[in-house]
Amino acid sequence: MKTQVAIIGAGPAGSLLSLILHQRGIESIVIERQSKSYVLDRIRAGVLEWTSVELLESVGLGERLHKEGHRHDRVKIGWRGSEILDIEFQRLAGKPMMAYGQTKIQEDLYAAAERENLNIIFESSDVEIHDVTTDNPYVTFTTNGETQRVDCDYIAGCDGQHGVSRGAIPFKRRSEFERAYPFGWLGILSETPPLPELVYANHKNGFALCSERNPMLSRYYVQCPLEDTVDQWSDDRFWTELIERLPPSIGEHVVTGPSIEKSIAPLRSQVIEPMQYGKMFLAGDAAHIVPPTGAKGLNLAIADVHYLTEALVEHYAGNSAKLDSYSETALRRVWSSVRFSWWMTVLLHRFPEETAFEQRMREEDLAYLTRSESARKSVAEQYVGLDY
Ligand code: APR
Ligand code: PHB
């Protein structure tokens, strides 16, 4: 097979990239290891920056997003038991956020892929990247027991944190920056009405977060030790712990019910530099991981795709400046989101080895945010995301 851009991975990054390229007259083939239903069943992020909403609208994915998404003009942060910090990002930063599950975005992307006849090859194994430093790069893989080869101009590595693309950058040519956090998030889904607002909490027992997927589907998280397993967390234990960690005036509104999903995820920050090697470009989780605090992961993947499509479109029109600087451009936003999600993680969790001093520093940050509108404005601006 032959195409202009071979895309590895059909998560949000790869499938959005293929869709936008198609709309801008550039052909691609997407090679995905899993089946379509496997990708659609993954439960992932849930909050979109407004720039992400606008980008999805601009490629024709705005209708269901606006019908089923839930706009949020603020978040609340509970701390020191009963204090509540209110960050009104619509008023302070001029933009709202949108709660809309990644699962729905993935469904919308696959529906658009079918409508527009995109070429996504699911259940492709043994993907290998070849000759990226030559003018004739290609990708090989196995599907239905046969080896296939795709010749292309460029390769987009959109294969997430466990993909093969980043490994195509020789060890000596890449830098990896990493921070693993000494705790995990235990997350549940329950078919109960969510709270009207997103609520984060810092409590002596640890972090908590109340979020949503739709009017009858709530998503909640509590910080837990990394060694814990879901068997140790009955629904009763989860609800008791969640409500204890919230300010009482918020906790009393939580509607409990049986969980329909329960899992534990570790928290990590990681950046791979550069995001380009020869004819290969990385986008999304293939190049960077952020802890979920602050909801930046999916938004960063969408931003990378925006920069990469703009760069490829201009390149095929005869100007390669943006393509040459893709890594530098994308990494500026990556590092700013990595810093913000690290900061929110440190602000809102309890670390196992910390002393009372660290907690006082944290509470001083929260007290300053409570007193100063400029401080809240700075957080609001970073939470909703800067313009591209
Ligand atoms: N060959 C082909 N496909 C692969 C390979 C491989 N070797 N390895 C991984 N993949 C596929 C995965 O099965 C997955 O469908 O690449 C896709 C990567 O998708 P995501 O992990 O969702 O990553 P990305 O598209 O960058 O989206 C980022 O996902 O993890 C969240 O917080 C993250 O919300 C953010 C978003
Ligand atoms: C989610 O809804 O899953 C969610 C929301 C906000 C976050 C992280 C996750 O900061």
mmCIF file of all heavy atoms in Angstrom, residues 7-15 31-34 38-39 42 44-46 102 106 110 124-127 157-165 283-290 292 296-302 304, ligand 1:
data_model
loop_
_atom_site.group_PDB
_atom_site.id
_atom_site.type_symbol
_atom_site.label_atom_id
_atom_site.label_comp_id
_atom_site.label_asym_id
_atom_site.label_seq_id
_atom_site.Cartn_x
_atom_site.Cartn_y
_atom_site.Cartn_z
ATOM 1 N N ILE A 7 -0.303 6.386 9.831
ATOM 2 C CA ILE A 7 -0.561 6.756 11.231
ATOM 3 C C ILE A 7 -0.605 5.487 12.067
ATOM 4 O O ILE A 7 -1.353 4.559 11.741
ATOM 5 C CB ILE A 7 -1.904 7.517 11.339
ATOM 6 C CG1 ILE A 7 -1.853 8.812 10.488
ATOM 7 C CG2 ILE A 7 -2.230 7.836 12.794
ATOM 8 C CD1 ILE A 7 -3.189 9.554 10.402
ATOM 9 N N ILE A 8 0.173 5.437 13.132
ATOM 10 C CA ILE A 8 0.150 4.254 13.995
ATOM 11 C C ILE A 8 -0.680 4.573 15.229
ATOM 12 O O ILE A 8 -0.361 5.490 15.980
ATOM 13 C CB ILE A 8 1.577 3.835 14.382
ATOM 14 C CG1 ILE A 8 2.394 3.638 13.107
ATOM 15 C CG2 ILE A 8 1.556 2.544 15.203
ATOM 16 C CD1 ILE A 8 3.843 3.365 13.359
ATOM 17 N N GLY A 9 -1.777 3.822 15.420
ATOM 18 C CA GLY A 9 -2.660 4.030 16.563
ATOM 19 C C GLY A 9 -3.925 4.773 16.178
ATOM 20 O O GLY A 9 -3.875 5.828 15.549
ATOM 21 N N ALA A 10 -5.075 4.203 16.545
ATOM 22 C CA ALA A 10 -6.373 4.841 16.243
ATOM 23 C C ALA A 10 -7.101 5.228 17.521
ATOM 24 O O ALA A 10 -8.306 5.060 17.657
ATOM 25 C CB ALA A 10 -7.231 3.918 15.387
ATOM 26 N N GLY A 11 -6.339 5.746 18.504
ATOM 27 C CA GLY A 11 -6.961 6.383 19.677
ATOM 28 C C GLY A 11 -7.431 7.762 19.233
ATOM 29 O O GLY A 11 -7.511 8.048 18.031
ATOM 30 N N PRO A 12 -7.725 8.654 20.184
ATOM 31 C CA PRO A 12 -8.170 9.996 19.789
ATOM 32 C C PRO A 12 -7.150 10.708 18.890
ATOM 33 O O PRO A 12 -7.552 11.328 17.890
ATOM 34 C CB PRO A 12 -8.311 10.728 21.125
ATOM 35 C CG PRO A 12 -8.417 9.683 22.150
ATOM 36 C CD PRO A 12 -7.752 8.451 21.647
ATOM 37 N N ALA A 13 -5.859 10.612 19.196
ATOM 38 C CA ALA A 13 -4.865 11.342 18.395
ATOM 39 C C ALA A 13 -4.844 10.836 16.955
ATOM 40 O O ALA A 13 -5.000 11.613 16.006
ATOM 41 C CB ALA A 13 -3.478 11.229 19.034
ATOM 42 N N GLY A 14 -4.672 9.534 16.760
ATOM 43 C CA GLY A 14 -4.541 8.974 15.410
ATOM 44 C C GLY A 14 -5.807 9.128 14.591
ATOM 45 O O GLY A 14 -5.762 9.486 13.401
ATOM 46 N N SER A 15 -6.986 8.886 15.219
ATOM 47 C CA SER A 15 -8.203 8.961 14.410
ATOM 48 C C SER A 15 -8.566 10.410 14.085
ATOM 49 O O SER A 15 -9.073 10.691 13.002
ATOM 50 C CB SER A 15 -9.379 8.185 15.024
ATOM 51 O OG SER A 15 -9.373 8.233 16.402
ATOM 52 N N ILE A 31 -3.092 2.418 11.338
ATOM 53 C CA ILE A 31 -2.829 1.018 11.700
ATOM 54 C C ILE A 31 -3.009 0.872 13.208
ATOM 55 O O ILE A 31 -2.279 1.483 13.982
ATOM 56 C CB ILE A 31 -1.385 0.648 11.289
ATOM 57 C CG1 ILE A 31 -1.195 0.900 9.786
ATOM 58 C CG2 ILE A 31 -1.077 -0.804 11.632
ATOM 59 C CD1 ILE A 31 0.231 1.250 9.419
ATOM 60 N N GLU A 32 -4.019 0.092 13.620
ATOM 61 C CA GLU A 32 -4.373 -0.005 15.052
ATOM 62 C C GLU A 32 -4.246 -1.456 15.513
ATOM 63 O O GLU A 32 -4.755 -2.369 14.874
ATOM 64 C CB GLU A 32 -5.800 0.526 15.257
ATOM 65 C CG GLU A 32 -6.461 0.191 16.589
ATOM 66 C CD GLU A 32 -5.730 0.708 17.823
ATOM 67 O OE1 GLU A 32 -5.378 1.899 17.871
ATOM 68 O OE2 GLU A 32 -5.507 -0.097 18.761
ATOM 69 N N ARG A 33 -3.591 -1.624 16.672
ATOM 70 C CA ARG A 33 -3.355 -2.970 17.189
ATOM 71 C C ARG A 33 -4.636 -3.655 17.666
ATOM 72 O O ARG A 33 -4.838 -4.850 17.487
ATOM 73 C CB ARG A 33 -2.368 -2.860 18.349
ATOM 74 C CG ARG A 33 -2.036 -4.182 18.985
ATOM 75 C CD ARG A 33 -0.812 -4.102 19.833
ATOM 76 N NE ARG A 33 -0.970 -3.113 20.913
ATOM 77 C CZ ARG A 33 0.010 -2.766 21.727
ATOM 78 N NH1 ARG A 33 1.192 -3.299 21.596
ATOM 79 N NH2 ARG A 33 -0.189 -1.895 22.684
ATOM 80 N N GLN A 34 -5.521 -2.888 18.290
ATOM 81 C CA GLN A 34 -6.704 -3.498 18.918
ATOM 82 C C GLN A 34 -7.888 -3.549 17.952
ATOM 83 O O GLN A 34 -7.845 -2.955 16.875
ATOM 84 C CB GLN A 34 -7.119 -2.679 20.143
ATOM 85 C CG GLN A 34 -6.028 -2.473 21.175
ATOM 86 C CD GLN A 34 -5.659 -3.748 21.908
ATOM 87 O OE1 GLN A 34 -6.314 -4.792 21.741
ATOM 88 N NE2 GLN A 34 -4.604 -3.691 22.698
ATOM 89 N N TYR A 38 -12.716 -2.901 21.290
ATOM 90 C CA TYR A 38 -11.789 -2.790 22.420
ATOM 91 C C TYR A 38 -11.467 -1.317 22.683
ATOM 92 O O TYR A 38 -11.517 -0.846 23.819
ATOM 93 C CB TYR A 38 -10.508 -3.576 22.116
ATOM 94 C CG TYR A 38 -9.508 -3.560 23.249
ATOM 95 C CD1 TYR A 38 -9.437 -4.601 24.174
ATOM 96 C CD2 TYR A 38 -8.618 -2.484 23.408
ATOM 97 C CE1 TYR A 38 -8.525 -4.573 25.215
ATOM 98 C CE2 TYR A 38 -7.706 -2.445 24.449
ATOM 99 C CZ TYR A 38 -7.665 -3.494 25.351
ATOM 100 O OH TYR A 38 -6.760 -3.453 26.384
ATOM 101 N N VAL A 39 -11.159 -0.579 21.603
ATOM 102 C CA VAL A 39 -10.811 0.841 21.778
ATOM 103 C C VAL A 39 -12.016 1.598 22.348
ATOM 104 O O VAL A 39 -11.877 2.426 23.250
ATOM 105 C CB VAL A 39 -10.352 1.480 20.443
ATOM 106 C CG1 VAL A 39 -10.044 2.964 20.631
ATOM 107 C CG2 VAL A 39 -9.115 0.770 19.887
ATOM 108 N N ARG A 42 -12.716 1.366 26.263
ATOM 109 C CA ARG A 42 -11.780 1.901 27.259
ATOM 110 C C ARG A 42 -12.394 3.122 27.948
ATOM 111 O O ARG A 42 -12.923 4.008 27.286
ATOM 112 C CB ARG A 42 -10.469 2.328 26.589
ATOM 113 C CG ARG A 42 -9.626 1.154 26.142
ATOM 114 C CD ARG A 42 -8.224 1.587 25.818
ATOM 115 N NE ARG A 42 -8.219 2.429 24.633
ATOM 116 C CZ ARG A 42 -7.377 2.257 23.606
ATOM 117 N NH1 ARG A 42 -6.494 1.291 23.630
ATOM 118 N NH2 ARG A 42 -7.414 3.068 22.582
ATOM 119 N N ARG A 44 -11.773 6.444 29.770
ATOM 120 C CA ARG A 44 -10.640 7.366 29.892
ATOM 121 C C ARG A 44 -11.104 8.727 30.395
ATOM 122 O O ARG A 44 -12.048 8.831 31.132
ATOM 123 C CB ARG A 44 -9.969 7.489 28.519
ATOM 124 C CG ARG A 44 -9.245 6.205 28.083
ATOM 125 C CD ARG A 44 -7.831 6.204 28.589
ATOM 126 N NE ARG A 44 -7.062 5.039 28.213
ATOM 127 C CZ ARG A 44 -6.367 4.911 27.094
ATOM 128 N NH1 ARG A 44 -6.404 5.863 26.178
ATOM 129 N NH2 ARG A 44 -5.651 3.842 26.876
ATOM 130 N N ALA A 45 -10.467 9.772 29.877
ATOM 131 C CA ALA A 45 -10.667 11.124 30.380
ATOM 132 C C ALA A 45 -12.084 11.650 30.124
ATOM 133 O O ALA A 45 -12.902 10.992 29.487
ATOM 134 C CB ALA A 45 -9.662 12.041 29.701
ATOM 135 N N GLY A 46 -12.354 12.857 30.633
ATOM 136 C CA GLY A 46 -13.725 13.332 30.498
ATOM 137 C C GLY A 46 -13.927 14.828 30.367
ATOM 138 O O GLY A 46 -15.063 15.270 30.250
ATOM 139 N N GLN A 102 -14.196 10.800 26.821
ATOM 140 C CA GLN A 102 -13.339 10.394 25.695
ATOM 141 C C GLN A 102 -13.975 9.252 24.914
ATOM 142 O O GLN A 102 -13.806 9.132 23.700
ATOM 143 C CB GLN A 102 -11.954 9.981 26.229
ATOM 144 C CG GLN A 102 -10.984 9.569 25.142
ATOM 145 C CD GLN A 102 -9.567 9.407 25.682
ATOM 146 O OE1 GLN A 102 -9.151 10.136 26.568
ATOM 147 N NE2 GLN A 102 -8.834 8.444 25.159
ATOM 148 N N GLN A 106 -14.389 9.164 20.953
ATOM 149 C CA GLN A 106 -13.910 8.064 20.116
ATOM 150 C C GLN A 106 -15.043 7.525 19.239
ATOM 151 O O GLN A 106 -14.833 7.237 18.051
ATOM 152 C CB GLN A 106 -13.323 6.971 21.024
ATOM 153 C CG GLN A 106 -12.477 5.967 20.295
ATOM 154 C CD GLN A 106 -11.171 6.539 19.763
ATOM 155 O OE1 GLN A 106 -10.286 6.894 20.511
ATOM 156 N NE2 GLN A 106 -11.031 6.622 18.455
ATOM 157 N N TYR A 110 -14.962 7.518 15.158
ATOM 158 C CA TYR A 110 -15.128 6.324 14.316
ATOM 159 C C TYR A 110 -16.341 6.461 13.389
ATOM 160 O O TYR A 110 -16.325 5.980 12.251
ATOM 161 C CB TYR A 110 -15.214 5.051 15.171
ATOM 162 C CG TYR A 110 -13.866 4.612 15.737
ATOM 163 C CD1 TYR A 110 -13.793 3.658 16.752
ATOM 164 C CD2 TYR A 110 -12.663 5.138 15.265
ATOM 165 C CE1 TYR A 110 -12.573 3.246 17.278
ATOM 166 C CE2 TYR A 110 -11.432 4.739 15.791
ATOM 167 C CZ TYR A 110 -11.405 3.794 16.795
ATOM 168 O OH TYR A 110 -10.196 3.386 17.316
ATOM 169 N N SER A 124 -4.141 -5.001 13.884
ATOM 170 C CA SER A 124 -2.864 -5.129 13.168
ATOM 171 C C SER A 124 -1.756 -5.336 14.191
ATOM 172 O O SER A 124 -1.584 -4.495 15.068
ATOM 173 C CB SER A 124 -2.553 -3.835 12.416
ATOM 174 O OG SER A 124 -3.588 -3.518 11.531
ATOM 175 N N SER A 125 -1.033 -6.430 14.072
ATOM 176 C CA SER A 125 0.027 -6.681 15.065
ATOM 177 C C SER A 125 1.404 -6.475 14.450
ATOM 178 O O SER A 125 1.541 -6.224 13.243
ATOM 179 C CB SER A 125 -0.120 -8.103 15.622
ATOM 180 O OG SER A 125 -0.185 -9.008 14.554
ATOM 181 N N ASP A 126 2.408 -6.598 15.283
ATOM 182 C CA ASP A 126 3.830 -6.533 14.872
ATOM 183 C C ASP A 126 4.163 -5.297 14.040
ATOM 184 O O ASP A 126 4.915 -5.384 13.055
ATOM 185 C CB ASP A 126 4.225 -7.773 14.035
ATOM 186 C CG ASP A 126 3.786 -9.067 14.678
ATOM 187 O OD1 ASP A 126 3.884 -9.141 15.916
ATOM 188 O OD2 ASP A 126 3.331 -9.984 13.962
ATOM 189 N N VAL A 127 3.604 -4.150 14.408
ATOM 190 C CA VAL A 127 3.899 -2.929 13.645
ATOM 191 C C VAL A 127 5.385 -2.583 13.789
ATOM 192 O O VAL A 127 5.927 -2.581 14.887
ATOM 193 C CB VAL A 127 3.044 -1.751 14.156
ATOM 194 C CG1 VAL A 127 3.462 -0.453 13.468
ATOM 195 C CG2 VAL A 127 1.576 -2.024 13.908
ATOM 196 N N GLY A 157 3.379 8.803 14.793
ATOM 197 C CA GLY A 157 3.332 7.860 15.919
ATOM 198 C C GLY A 157 2.291 8.342 16.905
ATOM 199 O O GLY A 157 2.528 9.259 17.681
ATOM 200 N N CYS A 158 1.095 7.716 16.842
ATOM 201 C CA CYS A 158 -0.011 8.117 17.732
ATOM 202 C C CYS A 158 -0.415 6.901 18.555
ATOM 203 O O CYS A 158 -1.597 6.652 18.784
ATOM 204 C CB CYS A 158 -1.209 8.597 16.916
ATOM 205 S SG CYS A 158 -0.834 9.984 15.836
ATOM 206 N N ASP A 159 0.582 6.089 18.945
ATOM 207 C CA ASP A 159 0.268 4.791 19.532
ATOM 208 C C ASP A 159 0.360 4.756 21.052
ATOM 209 O O ASP A 159 0.591 3.699 21.637
ATOM 210 C CB ASP A 159 1.120 3.689 18.883
ATOM 211 C CG ASP A 159 2.587 4.047 18.800
ATOM 212 O OD1 ASP A 159 2.948 5.189 19.163
ATOM 213 O OD2 ASP A 159 3.386 3.199 18.375
ATOM 214 N N GLY A 160 0.164 5.914 21.700
ATOM 215 C CA GLY A 160 0.002 5.913 23.157
ATOM 216 C C GLY A 160 1.262 5.564 23.914
ATOM 217 O O GLY A 160 2.345 5.412 23.339
ATOM 218 N N GLN A 161 1.097 5.443 25.229
ATOM 219 C CA GLN A 161 2.295 5.281 26.073
ATOM 220 C C GLN A 161 2.963 3.910 25.937
ATOM 221 O O GLN A 161 4.125 3.765 26.310
ATOM 222 C CB GLN A 161 1.972 5.578 27.532
ATOM 223 C CG GLN A 161 0.865 4.751 28.127
ATOM 224 C CD GLN A 161 0.720 5.043 29.610
ATOM 225 O OE1 GLN A 161 1.691 5.136 30.339
ATOM 226 N NE2 GLN A 161 -0.518 5.200 30.065
ATOM 227 N N HIS A 162 2.238 2.906 25.435
ATOM 228 C CA HIS A 162 2.870 1.587 25.301
ATOM 229 C C HIS A 162 3.167 1.248 23.842
ATOM 230 O O HIS A 162 3.354 0.085 23.497
ATOM 231 C CB HIS A 162 1.968 0.508 25.916
ATOM 232 C CG HIS A 162 1.607 0.788 27.332
ATOM 233 N ND1 HIS A 162 2.562 0.826 28.330
ATOM 234 C CD2 HIS A 162 0.420 1.087 27.916
ATOM 235 C CE1 HIS A 162 1.957 1.128 29.479
ATOM 236 N NE2 HIS A 162 0.667 1.293 29.241
ATOM 237 N N GLY A 163 3.203 2.261 22.988
ATOM 238 C CA GLY A 163 3.391 2.010 21.561
ATOM 239 C C GLY A 163 4.852 1.776 21.168
ATOM 240 O O GLY A 163 5.745 1.784 22.012
ATOM 241 N N VAL A 164 5.053 1.577 19.856
ATOM 242 C CA VAL A 164 6.406 1.291 19.357
ATOM 243 C C VAL A 164 7.100 2.539 18.786
ATOM 244 O O VAL A 164 8.314 2.550 18.624
ATOM 245 C CB VAL A 164 6.386 0.219 18.234
ATOM 246 C CG1 VAL A 164 5.975 -1.122 18.802
ATOM 247 C CG2 VAL A 164 5.463 0.619 17.079
ATOM 248 N N SER A 165 6.322 3.595 18.486
ATOM 249 C CA SER A 165 6.888 4.722 17.737
ATOM 250 C C SER A 165 8.043 5.415 18.439
ATOM 251 O O SER A 165 9.081 5.691 17.834
ATOM 252 C CB SER A 165 5.818 5.767 17.458
ATOM 253 O OG SER A 165 4.751 5.177 16.814
ATOM 254 N N ALA A 283 2.663 12.155 18.386
ATOM 255 C CA ALA A 283 1.555 12.991 18.876
ATOM 256 C C ALA A 283 0.806 12.246 19.977
ATOM 257 O O ALA A 283 0.671 11.024 19.936
ATOM 258 C CB ALA A 283 0.598 13.328 17.725
ATOM 259 N N GLY A 284 0.320 12.984 20.971
ATOM 260 C CA GLY A 284 -0.480 12.391 22.053
ATOM 261 C C GLY A 284 0.373 11.636 23.060
ATOM 262 O O GLY A 284 1.556 11.929 23.254
ATOM 263 N N ASP A 285 -0.266 10.626 23.687
ATOM 264 C CA ASP A 285 0.395 9.876 24.757
ATOM 265 C C ASP A 285 1.687 9.183 24.298
ATOM 266 O O ASP A 285 2.496 8.785 25.132
ATOM 267 C CB ASP A 285 -0.555 8.796 25.314
ATOM 268 C CG ASP A 285 -1.562 9.374 26.312
ATOM 269 O OD1 ASP A 285 -1.725 10.604 26.348
ATOM 270 O OD2 ASP A 285 -2.177 8.576 27.048
ATOM 271 N N ALA A 286 1.891 9.019 23.005
ATOM 272 C CA ALA A 286 3.145 8.428 22.511
ATOM 273 C C ALA A 286 4.334 9.301 22.914
ATOM 274 O O ALA A 286 5.454 8.818 23.069
ATOM 275 C CB ALA A 286 3.098 8.286 20.983
ATOM 276 N N ALA A 287 4.086 10.608 23.094
ATOM 277 C CA ALA A 287 5.179 11.528 23.402
ATOM 278 C C ALA A 287 5.157 12.047 24.834
ATOM 279 O O ALA A 287 6.177 12.516 25.335
ATOM 280 C CB ALA A 287 5.130 12.723 22.441
ATOM 281 N N HIS A 288 3.988 11.993 25.471
ATOM 282 C CA HIS A 288 3.913 12.570 26.821
ATOM 283 C C HIS A 288 2.749 12.008 27.617
ATOM 284 O O HIS A 288 1.680 11.736 27.075
ATOM 285 C CB HIS A 288 3.768 14.091 26.749
ATOM 286 C CG HIS A 288 2.882 14.549 25.627
ATOM 287 N ND1 HIS A 288 1.520 14.414 25.666
ATOM 288 C CD2 HIS A 288 3.168 15.102 24.426
ATOM 289 C CE1 HIS A 288 1.012 14.884 24.536
ATOM 290 N NE2 HIS A 288 1.985 15.296 23.754
ATOM 291 N N ILE A 289 2.987 11.843 28.898
ATOM 292 C CA ILE A 289 1.948 11.379 29.826
ATOM 293 C C ILE A 289 1.839 12.437 30.922
ATOM 294 O O ILE A 289 2.861 12.943 31.381
ATOM 295 C CB ILE A 289 2.381 10.052 30.505
ATOM 296 C CG1 ILE A 289 2.686 8.975 29.468
ATOM 297 C CG2 ILE A 289 1.320 9.557 31.484
ATOM 298 C CD1 ILE A 289 1.526 8.590 28.624
ATOM 299 N N VAL A 290 0.632 12.763 31.299
ATOM 300 C CA VAL A 290 0.461 13.652 32.451
ATOM 301 C C VAL A 290 -0.442 12.962 33.465
ATOM 302 O O VAL A 290 -1.288 12.142 33.082
ATOM 303 C CB VAL A 290 -0.164 15.015 32.049
ATOM 304 C CG1 VAL A 290 0.816 15.863 31.262
ATOM 305 C CG2 VAL A 290 -1.472 14.841 31.282
ATOM 306 N N PRO A 292 -3.706 12.663 35.706
ATOM 307 C CA PRO A 292 -5.022 13.165 35.286
ATOM 308 C C PRO A 292 -5.464 14.445 36.007
ATOM 309 O O PRO A 292 -6.407 15.094 35.546
ATOM 310 C CB PRO A 292 -5.971 12.005 35.606
ATOM 311 C CG PRO A 292 -5.254 11.177 36.611
ATOM 312 C CD PRO A 292 -3.792 11.347 36.348
ATOM 313 N N LYS A 296 -5.482 17.233 31.478
ATOM 314 C CA LYS A 296 -4.759 17.755 30.317
ATOM 315 C C LYS A 296 -4.446 16.718 29.235
ATOM 316 O O LYS A 296 -4.160 17.081 28.091
ATOM 317 C CB LYS A 296 -3.434 18.395 30.763
ATOM 318 C CG LYS A 296 -3.612 19.669 31.571
ATOM 319 C CD LYS A 296 -4.231 20.756 30.722
ATOM 320 C CE LYS A 296 -4.500 22.029 31.474
ATOM 321 N NZ LYS A 296 -5.440 22.909 30.817
ATOM 322 N N GLY A 297 -4.460 15.418 29.559
ATOM 323 C CA GLY A 297 -3.954 14.397 28.624
ATOM 324 C C GLY A 297 -4.620 14.418 27.251
ATOM 325 O O GLY A 297 -3.964 14.564 26.220
ATOM 326 N N LEU A 298 -5.933 14.315 27.241
ATOM 327 C CA LEU A 298 -6.662 14.291 25.968
ATOM 328 C C LEU A 298 -6.519 15.627 25.235
ATOM 329 O O LEU A 298 -6.365 15.677 24.011
ATOM 330 C CB LEU A 298 -8.138 13.987 26.266
ATOM 331 C CG LEU A 298 -9.116 14.049 25.105
ATOM 332 C CD1 LEU A 298 -8.723 13.060 24.013
ATOM 333 C CD2 LEU A 298 -10.529 13.745 25.605
ATOM 334 N N ASN A 299 -6.557 16.715 25.996
ATOM 335 C CA ASN A 299 -6.435 18.049 25.383
ATOM 336 C C ASN A 299 -5.070 18.251 24.730
ATOM 337 O O ASN A 299 -4.967 18.878 23.679
ATOM 338 C CB ASN A 299 -6.706 19.123 26.436
ATOM 339 C CG ASN A 299 -8.154 19.097 26.889
ATOM 340 O OD1 ASN A 299 -9.052 19.379 26.108
ATOM 341 N ND2 ASN A 299 -8.385 18.697 28.132
ATOM 342 N N LEU A 300 -4.034 17.702 25.343
ATOM 343 C CA LEU A 300 -2.699 17.808 24.737
ATOM 344 C C LEU A 300 -2.629 17.005 23.448
ATOM 345 O O LEU A 300 -2.011 17.431 22.469
ATOM 346 C CB LEU A 300 -1.637 17.263 25.693
ATOM 347 C CG LEU A 300 -0.986 18.243 26.663
ATOM 348 C CD1 LEU A 300 0.126 17.530 27.414
ATOM 349 C CD2 LEU A 300 -0.438 19.476 25.950
ATOM 350 N N ALA A 301 -3.268 15.832 23.450
ATOM 351 C CA ALA A 301 -3.284 15.005 22.232
ATOM 352 C C ALA A 301 -3.963 15.782 21.105
ATOM 353 O O ALA A 301 -3.483 15.812 19.961
ATOM 354 C CB ALA A 301 -4.005 13.679 22.503
ATOM 355 N N ILE A 302 -5.066 16.459 21.437
ATOM 356 C CA ILE A 302 -5.793 17.236 20.420
ATOM 357 C C ILE A 302 -4.935 18.410 19.940
ATOM 358 O O ILE A 302 -4.887 18.719 18.749
ATOM 359 C CB ILE A 302 -7.161 17.698 20.986
ATOM 360 C CG1 ILE A 302 -8.057 16.471 21.226
ATOM 361 C CG2 ILE A 302 -7.846 18.693 20.055
ATOM 362 C CD1 ILE A 302 -9.398 16.769 21.891
ATOM 363 N N ASP A 304 -1.592 18.581 19.868
ATOM 364 C CA ASP A 304 -0.536 18.044 18.989
ATOM 365 C C ASP A 304 -1.085 17.832 17.580
ATOM 366 O O ASP A 304 -0.443 18.183 16.581
ATOM 367 C CB ASP A 304 -0.039 16.667 19.474
ATOM 368 C CG ASP A 304 0.761 16.722 20.762
ATOM 369 O OD1 ASP A 304 1.133 17.829 21.199
ATOM 370 O OD2 ASP A 304 1.008 15.632 21.333
HETATM 371 N N1 APR B 1 0.584 -0.790 16.895
HETATM 372 C C1 APR B 1 -0.626 -0.257 16.572
HETATM 373 N N2 APR B 1 -1.400 0.422 17.449
HETATM 374 C C2 APR B 1 -0.931 0.558 18.680
HETATM 375 C C3 APR B 1 0.314 0.044 19.100
HETATM 376 C C4 APR B 1 1.084 -0.657 18.138
HETATM 377 N N3 APR B 1 2.268 -1.181 18.456
HETATM 378 N N4 APR B 1 0.509 0.350 20.396
HETATM 379 C C5 APR B 1 -0.572 1.024 20.794
HETATM 380 N N5 APR B 1 -1.451 1.159 19.773
HETATM 381 C C6 APR B 1 -2.767 1.826 19.789
HETATM 382 C C7 APR B 1 -3.552 1.566 21.066
HETATM 383 O O1 APR B 1 -4.273 0.340 20.995
HETATM 384 C C8 APR B 1 -4.473 2.775 21.119
HETATM 385 O O2 APR B 1 -5.708 2.548 20.482
HETATM 386 O O3 APR B 1 -2.582 3.226 19.786
HETATM 387 C C9 APR B 1 -3.721 3.854 20.367
HETATM 388 C C10 APR B 1 -3.245 4.970 21.283
HETATM 389 O O4 APR B 1 -4.385 5.613 21.815
HETATM 390 P P1 APR B 1 -4.388 6.321 23.255
HETATM 391 O O5 APR B 1 -3.641 5.498 24.238
HETATM 392 O O6 APR B 1 -5.786 6.671 23.555
HETATM 393 O O7 APR B 1 -3.489 7.644 23.025
HETATM 394 P P2 APR B 1 -3.803 8.989 22.237
HETATM 395 O O8 APR B 1 -4.557 8.738 20.989
HETATM 396 O O9 APR B 1 -2.532 9.730 22.236
HETATM 397 O O10 APR B 1 -4.852 9.755 23.176
HETATM 398 C C11 APR B 1 -4.487 10.398 24.346
HETATM 399 O O11 APR B 1 -5.756 9.003 25.767
HETATM 400 O O12 APR B 1 -4.712 7.895 27.511
HETATM 401 C C12 APR B 1 -5.523 8.935 27.184
HETATM 402 O O13 APR B 1 -5.089 10.600 28.820
HETATM 403 C C13 APR B 1 -4.895 10.203 27.505
HETATM 404 O O14 APR B 1 -6.846 11.217 27.042
HETATM 405 C C14 APR B 1 -5.557 11.048 26.533
HETATM 406 C C15 APR B 1 -5.629 10.298 25.296
#
